[in-house]
Amino acid sequence: LAKTTQPISMDSYEGQEVNITCSHNNIATNDYITWYQQFPSQGPRFIIQGYKTKVTNEVASLFIPADRKSSTLSLPRVSLSDTAVYYCLVGAPNDYKLSFGAGTTVTVRA
Amino acid sequence: NAGVTQTPKFQVLKTGQSMTLQCAQDMNHEYMSWYRQDPGMGLRLIHYSVGAGITDQGEVPNGYNVSRSTTEDFPLRLLSAAPSQTSVYFCASTVLTGGLSSPLHFGNGTRLTVT
């Protein structure tokens, strides 16, 4: 499983765009990049997944450069309710042993 | 559709006691797993299962047992609780469509304290 590195914490203000970059230098050809969000006292929730280039859904965008050694989760116009821990995972479809790192704690202030 | 249901939500045990954390899903997911979450350490995989009768160890399996007799249920057993097992436990599940690129669905956790 590819190891990932992401910032421990980030602060932002309401209405701003938040970009969280995850490094995964040893990503393998079959690996996907998946991001989860976790609110206090809840289990993680899937946000977005991608393999290459850009993926966008109603919640976020995921940017993956051509070398795939990093990825950036972009949260547009955050609100106080986006305060959460965000996890970046890298793994192949046959990776059953997925573990989450410490994630990035994003704090949105008014 | 209830999703992934974990019971109990909170539990306090004394050292040496045993208990079973329950996890049930109603989405007919083949894959189920247990994680523990400790402060600053993310979620670490304890055990997982890819179907009824099939289980395997994760990153931190010591002190925990699992079995999978049905598709819906995946209980986690602590045979002799230790203070080091104080943690928040999450159960997750997903479909196995050629692998695990399908997103994991998590329960809301069981907060366990061992004194």
Side-chain angles (χ1 to χ4, degrees):
Chain A
L1 297 175
K3 178 176 167 56
T4 61
T5 303
Q6 50 184 122
I8 294 173
S9 63
M10 298 180 72
D11 288 343
S12 184
Y13 290 92
E14 283 190 295
Q16 290 188 335
E17 179 180 78
V18 171
N19 296 307
I20 310 170
T21 296
C22 179
S23 297
H24 27 80
N25 290 319
N26 59 341
I27 189 169
T29 303
N30 292 339
D31 286 343
Y32 284 78
I33 300 156
T34 310
W35 286 80
Y36 289 83
Q37 174 191 56
Q38 185 180 25
F39 298 115
S41 302
Q42 294 185 23
R45 182 182 71 155
F46 169 83
I47 301 177
I48 198 165
Q49 184 181 75
Y51 183 80
K52 61 181 178 180
T53 64
K54 176 183 174 182
V55 179
T56 297
N57 61 22
E58 65 278 4
V59 177
S61 294
L62 179 59
F63 298 92
I64 306 169
D67 66 6
R68 303 201 326 126
K69 292 185 183 301
S70 68
S71 58
T72 299
L73 175 72
S74 180
L75 306 171
R77 298 179 299 281
V78 294
S79 64
L80 295 176
S81 62
D82 292 314
T83 293
V85 180
Y86 293 83
Y87 298 96
C88 166
L89 274 74
V90 172
N94 59 351
D95 286 335
Y96 296 137
K97 295 188 176 183
L98 290 175
S99 280
F100 292 59
T104 298
T105 299
V106 172
T107 303
V108 180
R109 306 183 193 281
Chain B
N1 230 357
V4 178
T5 303
Q6 291 185 237
T7 56
K9 286 184 169 41
F10 302 94
Q11 183 69 50
V12 178
L13 292 178
K14 294 187 187 304
T15 298
Q17 286 185 320
S18 63
M19 82 157 294
T20 299
L21 281 64
Q22 301 292 344
C23 175
Q25 52 90 10
D26 61 358
M27 298 172 282
N28 202 32
H29 287 169
E30 300 96 329
Y31 179 91
M32 296 185 74
S33 56
W34 277 101
Y35 290 84
R36 60 176 289 172
Q37 184 170 35
D38 302 299
M41 298 191 70
L43 287 86
R44 292 181 292 170
L45 182 66
I46 304 172
H47 286 285
Y48 68 94
S49 168
V50 296
I54 307 170
T55 64
D56 203 350
Q57 296 180 347
E59 182 185 359
V60 288
N62 292 339
Y64 307 95
N65 281 351
V66 292
S67 61
R68 182 105 178 263
S69 57
T70 67
T71 299
E72 294 77 20
D73 300 299
F74 190 42
L76 179 71
R77 282 183 288 277
L78 285 71
L79 298 180
S80 179
S84 61
Q85 293 179 304
T86 293
S87 188
V88 181
Y89 292 85
F90 289 100
C91 178
S93 72
T94 191
V95 295
L96 281 180
T97 54
L100 207 57
S101 57
S102 300
L104 290 166
H105 297 254
F106 282 84
N108 280 328
T110 294
R111 185 174 295 274
L112 175 68
T113 302
V114 183
T115 61

